[in-house]
């Protein structure tokens, strides 16, 4: 198999959600001594991009999205240690602290967002569910996070998102981290109202939002 | 000494070894003789004909009842008759308690009315200047000298009632513990109660004759709280937007209930003062809101309710337009997510008494799943979202006139609407049919893709099923399916092990079984083992209204029931995602 063909197969493995194939191709790339950064950017990443397009067209739903993300993670589990060994920085797009707010124990949506962000090259610290604002802030400071992602599935627990934004402001940390909010009852209007930096409707939009904000701050 | 009692009317013969009251002998022999006044000789409802055996002299009351009821002189009150010789008796059916069906659609589910409210007609001693007793003493004496409680509000009306009735009065006694009212004249036979199902979307109420157990009439209405949010969580948030909102929500539901009561009573020509009892079954949030009890803690982990079981309240405490002293009983909540509506439904389904393994499902925004197995009851709930109620669906409609509730493919798409009116949208059962029909046609894939380029399917003018609608239905079905699977697995059971599945809730008989199995909402199971029990919550409320014993069994069941949280199972997410495919199982 030549390189072009390998890269194309990688993309297809991600689109098809073939976890073991995606991982096997990563092993193959290591054995053949391919440029691993190129493998990520030209092999796997285009696959993820196509998954996003399929999601938008309505052809992909949660099961497909998750198996693609899982396939990506499986490939990265092979590639990342190799990159570290070669002292090459894995291409991290930024650090994310994510969790479901206090009083709320829903986690499927939040897990999906975390998974997609990770698949797209973000370093993700998932604090789980029912997370107090103090814990969010402490971890964000500890890992020097770029983003705080807050999930809330109930209109009653959404208020936890506001509380965190207010706390950041009170502690003069609101410029240090960007706050992104999401969850079934959450809207752009709510995000604006509480002074969050962004809102995403679904996992893929969350990735795009984070990428966009990241570029803006880097550029 | 042994005597033989032959019960000619029932073809039974029993041996009596010691002196005993005849009514006890009859009950032990399985004859449902009426014991309305608890064997105090006050009600005249337990006459039997003594065909052979001693005939003791008639008591004063007995004699007047015999005349009034046109009975021959060899009838006696069985509760006052002591068995001390061989006997042959006949028990007329007029003096037995008729069993009444609880769920019309399930045979063999009958209860024997045993109401908490009893009425006694009394001809009291007239007050005498030589022995100036209090009116209450005279009344209590007339009631057989028992000690009974009485509220000041009732005392205030004692003198008026006795004077108006010229000492001929009817006492209304609750559970042989408290005098609820005293009415002039003879009003026995006029005691009524209400069974009320307070649903998030609809309110249903039955007017019940407490003595016969018969339902006289019923009313249904939309819970006006829907104006302030479709589901319980949005109602809770509404409550906390403004300090006046909780009171507003309470009055919205209360006003509707009172207008329903008004219509029911007017149609049956019954005055509100003759309604002495109401049993209310509703989910935890609905019952809290009805009592204007703070609901904040119900909407955030760990989801605490303020109350689960309540002692009886008075009609005036709640503001229901029935007798001010009427007793209001709330069906007990099992857990924050599994409310009194489910407890009532379980009671009506007789699940706690069944041997074998059964599932009980209530499909709504919150899907409740209850497993009866190994002598235990395990409850759980799973968030299906409001799709089954037609919410969050572009063409969705609650089950109201104009809602398409059935869809069939006969070469062309055939629909049926509720009330046979012009189609305005699709309700839950219609959506389930739609998914099944278009899956079969290949217009929707098993993974949920609407295959045509427009990504929507036209059903009727202006009624289309969009890709997003199909996704919402996938989520709702997967929540139920995953809930059932995990609950069964936790108890090491499979679908094949189940003796039956009971399906309660608004879907009722409209739910198409094959379609539900085909899209994977219900497991594949022999059709004979699926039972639709409709509004089981209302049936359970009626059952509790008619029998104090049934209330006790409901409370016992609630205390013994276990709750498991499905969503906190580690495998929930993976199983949920897997379950999103529209596929029959197991």
């Amino acid at each position: 198999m030549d390189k072009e063909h390998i890269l194309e197969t990688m993309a297809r493995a991600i689109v098809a959600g073939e976890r073991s194939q995606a991982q096997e191709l990563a092993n193959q790339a290591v054995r053949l001594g391919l440029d691993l950064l190129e493998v990520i950017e030209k092999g796997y990443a285009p696959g993820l991009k196509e998954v996003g397009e399929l999601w938008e067209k309505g052809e992909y739903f949660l099961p497909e999205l998750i198996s693609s993300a899982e396939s990506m993670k499986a490939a990265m589990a092979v590639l990342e240690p190799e990159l570290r060994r070669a002292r090459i920085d894995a291409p991290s797009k930024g650090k994310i602290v994510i969790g479901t707010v206090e009083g709320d124990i829903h986690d499927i949506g939040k897990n999906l967002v975390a998974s997609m962000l990770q698949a797209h090259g973000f370093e993700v610290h998932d604090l789980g569910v029912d997370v107090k604002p103090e814990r969010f802030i402490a971890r964000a400071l500890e890992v020097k996070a770029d983003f705080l992602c807050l999930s809330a599935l109930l209109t009653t627990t959404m208020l936890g998102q506001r509380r965190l934004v207010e706390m950041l402001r009170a502690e003069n940390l609101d410029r240090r981290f960007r706050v992104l909010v999401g969850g079934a009852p959450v809207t752009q209007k709510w995000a604006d109202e509480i002074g969050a930096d962004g809102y995403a409707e679904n996992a893929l939009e969350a990735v795009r939002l984070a990428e966009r904000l990241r570029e803006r701050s880097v550029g | 000494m042994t005597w033989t009692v032959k019960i000619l009317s029932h073809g039974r013969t029993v041996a009596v070894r010691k002196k005993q009251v005849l009514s006890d002998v009859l009950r032990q022999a399985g004859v449902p003789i009426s014991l309305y006044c608890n064997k105090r000789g006050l009600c005249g409802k337990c006459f039997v004909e003594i065909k052979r055996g001693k005939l003791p002299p008639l008591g004063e009351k007995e004699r007047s009842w015999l005349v009034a009821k046109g009975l021959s002189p060899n009838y006696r009150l069985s509760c006052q008759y002591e068995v001390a010789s061989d006997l042959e008796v006949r028990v007329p059916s007029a003096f037995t308690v008729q069993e009444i069906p609880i769920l019309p659609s399930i045979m063999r589910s009958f209860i024997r009315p045993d109401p908490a409210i009893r009425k006694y007609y009394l001809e009291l001693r007239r007050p005498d200047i030589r022995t100036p007793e209090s009116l209450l003493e005279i009344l209590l004496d007339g009631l057989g000298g028992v000690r009974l409680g009485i509220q000041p509000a009732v005392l205030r009306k004692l003198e008026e009632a006795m004077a108006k009735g010229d000492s001929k009065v009817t006492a209304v006694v609750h559970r042989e513990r408290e005098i609820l009212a005293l009415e002039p004249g003879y009003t026995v036979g006029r005691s009524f109660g209400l069974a009320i199902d307070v649903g998030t979307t609809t309110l249903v109420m039955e007017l019940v004759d407490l003595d016969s157990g018969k339902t006289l009439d019923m009313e249904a209405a939309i819970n006006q709280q829907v104006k302030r949010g479709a589901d319980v969580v949005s109602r809770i948030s509404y409550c906390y937007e403004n300090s006046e909102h909780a009171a507003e929500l309470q009055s919205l539901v209360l006003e509707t209930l009172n207008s329903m009561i008004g219509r029911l009573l007017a149609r049956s020509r019954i005055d509100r003062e003759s309604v002495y009892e109401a049993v209310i079954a509703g989910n935890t949030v609905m019952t809290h809101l009805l009592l204007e009890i703070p609901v904040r803690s119900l909407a955030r982990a760990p989801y605490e309710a303020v109350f689960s079981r309540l002692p009886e309240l008075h009609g005036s405490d709640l503001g229901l337009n029935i007798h001010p002293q009427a007793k209001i009983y709330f069906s007990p909540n099992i857990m924050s997510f599994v409310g009194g509506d489910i407890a009532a439904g379980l009671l009506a389904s007789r699940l706690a008494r069944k041997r074998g393994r059964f599932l009980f499902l209530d499909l709504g925004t919150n899907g409740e799943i209850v497993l009866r197995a190994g002598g235990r009851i395990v409850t759980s709930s799973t968030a299906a979202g409001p799709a089954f109620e037609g919410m969050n669906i572009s063409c969705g409609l609650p089950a109201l006139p104009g809602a398409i509730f059935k869809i069939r493919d006969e070469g062309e798409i055939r629909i049926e609407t509720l009330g046979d009116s012009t189609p305005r949208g699709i309700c839950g059962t219609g959506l389930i049919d739609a998914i099944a029909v278009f899956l079969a046609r290949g217009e929707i894939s098993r993974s949920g893709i609407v295959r045509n380029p427009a990504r929507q399917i036209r059903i009727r003018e202006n009624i289309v099923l969009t890709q997003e609608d199909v996704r919402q239905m996938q989520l709702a079905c997967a929540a139920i399916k995953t809930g059932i699977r995990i609950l069964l697995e936790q108890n090491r059971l499979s679908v094949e092990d189940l003796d039956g599945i009971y399906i309660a809730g608004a879907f009722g008989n409209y739910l198409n079984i094959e379609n539900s199995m085909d899209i994977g909402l219900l497991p594949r199971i022999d059709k004979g083992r699926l039972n639709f029990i409709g509004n089981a919550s209302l049936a359970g409320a009626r059952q509790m209204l008619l029998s104090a014993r049934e209330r006790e069994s409901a409370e016992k069941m609630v205390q013994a029931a276990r709750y498991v949280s499905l969503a906190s199972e580690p495998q929930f997410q993976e199983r949920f995602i897997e379950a999103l495919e529209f596929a029959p199982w197991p």
Side-chain angles (χ1 to χ4, degrees):
Chain A
M1 242 187 334
D2 64 11
K3 192 172 85 182
E4 290 308 310
H5 186 66
I6 291 177
L7 294 179
E8 210 186 296
T9 319
M10 285 169 170
R12 257 187 278 133
I14 297 299
V15 173
E18 295 287 354
R19 195 170 173 278
S20 52
Q21 194 195 8
Q23 190 160 41
E24 180 43 40
L25 286 164
N27 282 322
Q28 205 177 339
V30 172
R31 279 200 304 275
L32 295 173
L34 299 183
D35 176 350
L36 297 186
L37 285 180
E38 189 188 359
V39 158
I40 295 171
E41 277 158 33
K42 296 192 174 154
Y44 293 109
L48 272 184
K49 187 158 172 278
E50 197 183 333
V51 169
E53 287 159 8
L54 288 165
W55 166 272
E56 255 150 30
K57 275 197 256 167
E59 279 184 36
Y60 269 21
F61 195 39
L62 301 177
E64 297 82 7
L65 204 59
I66 287 175
S67 41
S68 293
E70 290 302 317
S71 308
M72 186 68 186
K73 280 199 255 175
M76 291 307 288
V78 172
L79 300 178
E80 267 170 355
E82 291 299 327
L83 287 169
R84 261 201 304 278
R85 198 171 308 154
R87 300 194 180 279
I88 299 171
D89 282 334
S92 169
K93 290 182 185 163
K95 292 177 187 169
I96 298 217
V97 168
I98 188 169
T100 304
V101 298
E102 190 177 9
D104 203 325
I105 55 162
H106 294 87
D107 67 350
I108 294 186
K110 182 266 300 169
N111 291 348
L112 196 60
V113 173
S115 199
M116 287 310 282
L117 284 166
Q118 202 183 347
H120 281 81
F122 287 88
E123 180 184 319
V124 176
H125 301 267
D126 187 346
L127 303 185
V129 298
D130 195 11
V131 181
K132 286 195 171 24
E134 295 81 1
R135 257 187 78 209
F136 271 114
I137 295 175
R139 179 63 77 87
L141 287 169
E142 182 194 325
V143 303
K144 298 194 173 64
D146 300 289
F147 297 98
L148 270 168
C149 295
L150 314 179
S151 169
L153 257 289
L154 301 173
T155 43
T156 43
T157 53
M158 269 162 70
L159 302 173
Q161 298 178 331
R162 167 182 281 161
R163 213 170 309 131
L164 193 122
V165 173
E166 282 167 358
M167 237 161 116
L168 286 175
R169 233 177 264 146
E171 293 177 29
N172 260 329
L173 292 168
D174 51 324
R175 292 181 179 231
R176 182 97 65 98
F177 315 113
R178 290 206 150 104
V179 177
L180 310 184
V181 293
V186 180
T187 57
Q188 182 65 52
K189 189 168 155 270
W190 169 252
D192 296 342
E193 191 185 317
I194 65 172
D197 297 282
Y199 153 77
E201 169 87 24
N202 57 49
L204 269 157
E205 276 188 30
V207 170
R208 292 198 183 130
L209 175 68
E211 283 174 349
R212 209 164 55 232
L213 290 171
R214 181 79 182 138
E215 270 164 35
R216 215 182 292 159
S217 70
V218 171
Chain B
M1 196 68 201
T2 302
W3 303 293
T4 310
V5 175
K6 261 192 181 171
I7 308 162
L8 303 169
S9 51
H10 291 70
R12 272 167 232 178
T13 303
V14 286
V16 180
R17 288 192 173 75
K18 58 176 199 294
K19 281 190 186 177
Q20 242 182 316
V21 174
L22 178 55
S23 59
D24 285 350
V25 174
L26 293 174
R27 273 288 171 105
Q28 285 154 19
V31 177
I33 185 83
S34 172
L35 296 179
Y36 186 86
C37 69
N38 283 323
K39 303 182 277 184
R40 284 189 285 145
L42 288 174
C43 69
K45 289 184 198 290
C46 65
F47 276 106
V48 300
E49 191 182 357
I50 311 294
K51 297 293 268 189
R52 203 169 64 80
K54 261 190 231 156
L55 272 177
L58 286 162
E60 193 187 321
K61 276 195 168 176
E62 247 176 338
R63 185 186 312 278
S64 67
W65 276 318
L66 281 190
V67 175
K69 293 175 197 275
L71 299 171
S72 78
N74 48 350
Y75 275 80
R76 290 294 180 276
L77 283 179
S78 64
C79 74
Q80 305 295 314
Y81 188 105
E82 194 173 65
V83 179
S85 67
D86 287 345
L87 213 55
E88 280 181 27
V89 300
R90 200 178 63 83
V91 184
S93 62
F95 298 111
T96 57
V97 187
Q98 298 302 311
E99 294 191 320
I100 56 144
I102 279 306
L103 288 162
S105 55
I106 300 182
M107 299 307 288
R108 284 179 291 134
S109 184
F110 290 83
I111 71 151
R112 198 175 282 168
D114 169 31
I117 301 288
R118 308 273 159 117
K119 275 190 155 186
Y120 302 120
Y121 172 68
L122 306 165
E123 294 183 0
L124 298 172
R125 281 198 300 284
R126 289 197 174 72
D128 187 331
I129 191 149
R130 283 162 299 180
T131 51
E133 288 169 292
S134 74
L135 298 180
L136 182 58
E137 286 309 319
I138 294 176
L139 173 60
L140 288 174
D141 198 38
L143 281 167
V146 284
R147 286 180 71 90
L148 296 168
I150 189 163
Q151 292 283 319
V154 186
L155 277 178
R156 282 181 207 119
K157 296 190 172 163
L158 220 56
E159 188 273 333
E160 188 193 331
M162 281 166 127
K164 214 170 164 185
D166 190 21
S167 289
K168 296 187 175 69
V169 291
T170 301
V172 183
V173 178
H174 179 254
R175 290 197 183 213
E176 306 301 329
R177 284 206 292 258
E178 185 186 347
I179 301 169
L180 286 194
L182 193 70
E183 297 165 354
Y186 181 87
T187 64
V188 174
R190 287 188 71 74
S191 52
F192 304 98
L194 297 170
I196 308 174
D197 170 42
V198 179
T200 310
T201 317
T202 40
L203 307 173
V204 193
M205 185 185 286
E206 281 186 358
L207 176 65
V208 179
D209 181 320
L210 290 179
D211 292 329
S212 69
K214 291 206 176 82
T215 295
L216 304 175
D217 199 354
M218 68 182 294
E219 270 280 326
I222 294 285
N223 184 343
Q224 288 304 315
Q225 290 178 345
V226 292
K227 291 192 272 195
R228 304 288 178 254
D231 53 77
V232 291
V233 174
S234 48
R235 306 245 178 108
I236 296 174
S237 347
Y238 181 75
C239 257
Y240 289 100
E241 278 171 20
N242 178 317
S243 59
E244 286 151 26
H245 283 177
E248 185 201 341
L249 286 183
Q250 186 199 31
S251 61
L252 279 174
V253 62
L254 209 51
E255 276 165 26
T256 314
L257 289 176
N258 277 330
S259 56
M260 292 164 81
I261 293 173
R263 289 195 293 272
L264 276 178
L265 296 183
R267 280 205 300 268
S268 297
R269 294 171 199 281
I270 289 168
D271 60 302
R272 59 175 277 196
E273 306 280 322
S274 304
V275 180
Y276 305 102
E277 220 176 359
V279 172
I280 296 177
N283 65 47
T284 316
V285 175
M286 285 304 112
T287 48
H288 277 58
L289 290 178
L290 185 57
L291 291 166
E292 215 192 322
I293 288 170
V295 283
R296 193 191 296 269
S297 60
L298 275 169
R300 38 183 304 138
Y303 310 103
E304 283 161 327
V306 174
F307 69 88
S308 53
R309 289 184 296 151
L310 278 185
E312 281 138 349
L313 306 177
H314 280 128
S316 52
D317 298 337
L318 187 58
L320 280 185
N321 284 341
I322 55 180
H323 195 290
Q325 296 301 311
K327 296 286 186 179
I328 314 275
Y329 177 79
F330 282 87
S331 174
N333 296 320
I334 299 175
M335 277 288 156
S336 302
F337 284 141
V338 186
D341 50 344
I342 300 301
L346 289 173
L347 185 72
S349 71
R350 287 280 189 259
L351 215 62
R353 297 189 191 173
K354 289 202 164 72
R355 280 160 181 273
R357 305 177 180 119
F358 296 89
L359 265 188
F360 175 99
L361 304 176
D362 189 324
L363 305 174
T365 304
N366 210 14
E368 282 94 0
I369 305 170
V370 182
L371 175 70
R372 163 75 181 174
R376 289 195 308 183
I377 286 187
V378 186
T379 65
S380 62
S381 67
T382 172
F388 291 141
E389 324 240 11
M391 310 275 183
N392 264 3
I393 300 282
S394 66
C395 57
L397 205 65
L400 296 173
I404 299 174
F405 70 99
K406 270 189 180 169
I407 297 181
R408 277 191 313 276
D409 185 358
E410 294 175 354
E412 61 181 305
I413 298 298
R414 299 250 181 224
I415 59 167
E416 283 178 55
T417 59
L418 290 172
D420 235 345
S421 39
T422 322
R424 293 192 294 132
I426 313 180
C427 67
T429 54
L431 286 165
I432 289 165
D433 286 352
I435 300 284
V437 161
F438 295 113
L439 271 177
R441 282 190 166 200
E443 292 186 42
I444 299 176
S445 77
R446 293 265 162 204
S447 63
I449 302 171
V450 175
R451 286 203 168 110
N452 67 47
R455 301 226 174 266
Q456 57 181 35
I457 299 169
R458 185 181 165 282
I459 291 168
R460 282 295 180 269
E461 190 66 39
N462 296 326
I463 301 177
V464 294
L465 195 67
T466 66
Q467 177 68 67
E468 187 50 30
D469 296 340
V470 176
R471 297 307 189 195
Q472 291 298 328
M473 286 299 287
Q474 273 180 286
L475 295 171
C477 291
I480 302 293
K481 180 172 166 183
T482 313
I484 297 176
R485 281 178 159 180
I486 293 185
L487 190 60
L488 288 177
E489 280 165 23
Q490 278 181 343
N491 290 277
R492 295 190 189 81
L493 292 174
S494 65
V495 172
E496 290 79 36
D497 296 325
L498 293 175
D499 295 299
I501 301 182
Y502 289 92
I503 298 167
F507 280 172
N509 296 319
Y510 296 147
L511 189 68
N512 181 306
I513 303 175
E514 280 91 9
N515 287 348
S516 308
M517 291 184 186
D518 191 45
I519 72 173
L521 169 62
L522 296 178
R524 273 186 299 202
I525 183 171
D526 168 37
K527 260 165 94 176
R529 284 189 280 163
L530 273 182
N531 304 287
F532 291 99
I533 56 177
N535 192 339
S537 167
L538 183 68
R542 187 199 317 139
Q543 201 164 327
M544 286 185 256
L545 179 66
L546 288 176
S547 163
R549 266 194 310 263
E550 296 291 321
R551 287 181 205 181
E552 280 158 31
S553 13
E555 297 203 1
K556 261 191 217 141
M557 177 189 70
V558 162
Q559 279 176 293
R562 265 198 320 131
Y563 177 79
V564 294
S565 164
L566 298 174
S568 52
E569 276 299 306
Q571 80 269 35
F572 188 87
Q573 174 169 341
E574 200 181 312
R575 305 300 301 277
F576 176 79
I577 298 295
E578 205 179 280
L580 285 165
E581 188 178 28
F582 288 124
W585 63 286

